[in-house]
Amino acid sequence: MTDFFARHRQMLDDAVRALHARTFWTPFPEVPSGKIYGETAKADGEASYAALLGQPFAMPGHPEQHRLGAEVSPWGDSLNITYPAADAPAVIAAAQGAADDLASASVEQRVGACLEILSRLNRISFLMGHATMHTTGQAFAMAFQAGGPHAQDRGLEAVVMAYAEMTRFADAARWEKPQGKAAPLVIDKQWTLVPAGLALAIGCNTFPTWNSYPGIFASLATGNPVIVKPHPAAILPLALTVQVAREVMAEACLPADAILLAVDEPGAEITKQLATDPAVRLIDYTGSSTFGNWLRANATQAQLFTEETGVNSIVIAATDDFDGMCANLAFSLSLYSGQMCTSPQNIYVPKGGIDTGQGHKSFDQVAEGLAAAIDRLLADPKQAAGICGAIANPATRDRVEQARAQGHVIRDGTPLLLAVDPGAAIAQDECFGPVAFVIPCADADDGVARAAGLAATKGAITAALYDTEDARIARAVRAFARAGVNLSVNLTGNIFVNQSAAFSDFHVTGANPAGNASLTDTAFVATRFRRVMWRRPAAATV
């Protein structure tokens, strides 16, 4: 058995320190450079991806009753990859067969295996980048980062949080209670970590690894076998993950079936059957609140960790750097064509305009400034493709077309910018995709109240504020905190409201309807296992 824990102990110790300090740290470089990943890494990754196309995907020893797979790249080509597939009972049975051995392994053995999996995934980040690009529609640079190093960071964060939680208390103790003149009571106590049960990770189309890794690795580290259920349009990134993980598990003398792939196809989904099986006790889910509500109503035997629908808002009250603000928001609105859970949607601007370093700007001038900044950003077609990527799902394109008729068009194209009334129904719910609404409000406080109110009732993952008055900023900070949404203030440089950094940002708060879990806090890992004690009187000593 390879001692992966010892191999990666330094990385683990560094990660624990970063977890508590919340400062910048990563062991997985985000730059797709040959100087970092090897001079041939780019070509090797592209060749490895090409070699997978049109072939049966290899998963030795995995349950297989038939083969499925019909992924089509948003960039235009069919992948024609088929994956091993089995019905829900067969997958459940295989996971149950691995449960005892995974649970009885030491914390160090499981954590070490997880660290090795992540390290190996990092080494194939160029392959993961191509797999992510051609299943999600992200441009390659973003796909490399989000599908590779940034996802690996989030997985590592979950492993480290789980390790810290599992080791925060002694696993054995001698308990002595004085009894005056009588001999003390002496009891030996030991605690066993008992996993919750089988885990189901339900992947999404747009960020299959970034959103799934925290749940997958938190469950594995805490001893729960994981069934990975990819979105039918984005199987390959998670299939590669499961393939690597199964190889490492075997080398660590852990059961390969501790992690399994559950592939299905539209019209013959097995998600509901898996989610409601009594053996499934943990479900990690990213997606719409519609299915989230179904899970809450039907998968009552399981703990749910969700990231769901929300309405992210921006309030523009004032700015000293109008051009910098517009440039920053232009990028945030355009990135991956708004197909991010963190993308802004509603932009509240006082109807009387705002004060800026360039003088007073009317509502219309603010809206026109945003549109002009987007035009400048996307003027070069090559740069535009690199920022916007492709639309992952035809339903997203249809949604934007339907939105077009419900407001005044400020900017046509991708992203679409519409002016709508404060009470417009379309702005009261998430309209996922490349569309944003510029909404007049009475003043800055009214804008904050509207944005925070939507966050509290409909959910939000991000919020942004531009203002120059400290008292108003302080009121906004309190309002958004009460609404349970993370707030960014006066971003004008190369950091954007869309971005969430592992080991520093807690992604989603779990405090509003956009999700009940946070990536990654102690609550995300603590209930994936329980401590069970056994005790007996201490043996007499001479």
Side-chain angles (χ1 to χ4, degrees), residues 169-382:
F169 301 117
D171 57 10
R174 173 157 290 187
W175 184 84
E176 295 191 26
K177 180 180 179 180
Q179 297 198 103
K181 294 181 180 180
L185 293 175
V186 184
I187 303 290
D188 283 336
K189 302 182 180 184
Q190 295 190 35
W191 289 270
T192 300
L193 304 183
V194 179
L198 303 191
L200 174 64
I202 304 173
C204 64
N205 189 176
T206 49
F207 289 89
T209 58
W210 198 98
N211 280 109
S212 296
Y213 278 12
I216 290 171
F217 284 97
S219 289
L220 282 179
T222 53
N224 303 280
V226 182
I227 298 167
V228 180
K229 166 61 187 71
H231 189 285
I235 302 170
L236 182 57
L238 288 173
L240 288 165
T241 301
V242 172
Q243 183 186 61
V244 169
R246 288 173 63 85
E247 292 170 355
V248 172
M249 285 290 177
E251 292 176 32
C253 293
L254 294 169
D257 284 349
I259 182 165
L260 294 152
L261 191 67
V263 177
D264 60 9
E265 57 187 357
E269 294 88 352
I270 62 172
T271 313
K272 290 182 177 180
Q273 192 175 358
L274 289 169
T276 54
D277 192 286
V280 171
R281 306 307 299 272
L282 304 166
I283 298 176
D284 290 276
Y285 167 70
T286 299
S288 74
S289 294
T290 300
F291 192 67
N293 290 334
W294 187 92
L295 289 170
R296 276 182 284 276
N298 294 278
T300 54
Q301 85 292 346
Q303 299 178 64
L304 299 180
F305 302 88
T306 72
E307 178 186 314
E308 302 176 54
T309 305
V311 183
N312 302 321
S313 297
I314 298 168
V315 179
I316 301 176
T319 179
D320 287 333
D321 184 1
F322 184 76
D323 290 341
M325 177 192 75
C326 289
N328 187 278
L329 291 180
F331 188 86
S332 294
L333 293 167
S334 303
L335 186 61
Y336 188 28
S337 294
Q339 299 169 104
M340 303 176 68
C341 61
T342 52
S343 295
Q345 174 180 301
N346 289 3
I347 305 172
Y348 293 94
V349 180
K351 60 185 177 183
I354 66 170
D355 291 330
T356 79
Q358 301 175 4
H360 190 79
K361 299 276 188 183
S362 69
F363 175 90
D364 288 341
Q365 287 174 315
V366 174
E368 291 162 3
L370 290 171
I374 296 171
D375 287 342
R376 287 192 295 272
L377 178 69
L378 305 181
D380 174 45
K382 185 176 181 179

Side-chain angles (χ1 to χ4, degrees), residues 30-32 42 75 125-126 129-130 132-133 137-150 331 335 385-387 389:
E30 66 176 7
V31 180
K42 182 176 184 296
W75 299 97
S125 288
F126 277 93
H130 286 288
T132 302
M133 174 182 178
Q138 295 171 25
F140 179 76
M142 182 179 184
F144 176 90
Q145 292 181 344
H150 291 177
F331 188 86
L335 186 61
I387 295 169

Side-chain angles (χ1 to χ4, degrees), residues 1-2 10 22 29 55-56 105 125-126 145-146 162 165 233 340 384 399 434 443 472 475 533 535:
M1 179 180 69
T2 305
Q10 186 62 57
R22 312 310 295 181
Q55 300 296 320
S125 288
F126 277 93
Q145 292 181 344
E165 187 64 21
M340 303 176 68
R399 190 181 304 115
D443 54 27
R472 281 199 312 236
R475 291 196 298 272
M533 179 187 71
R535 62 185 180 177

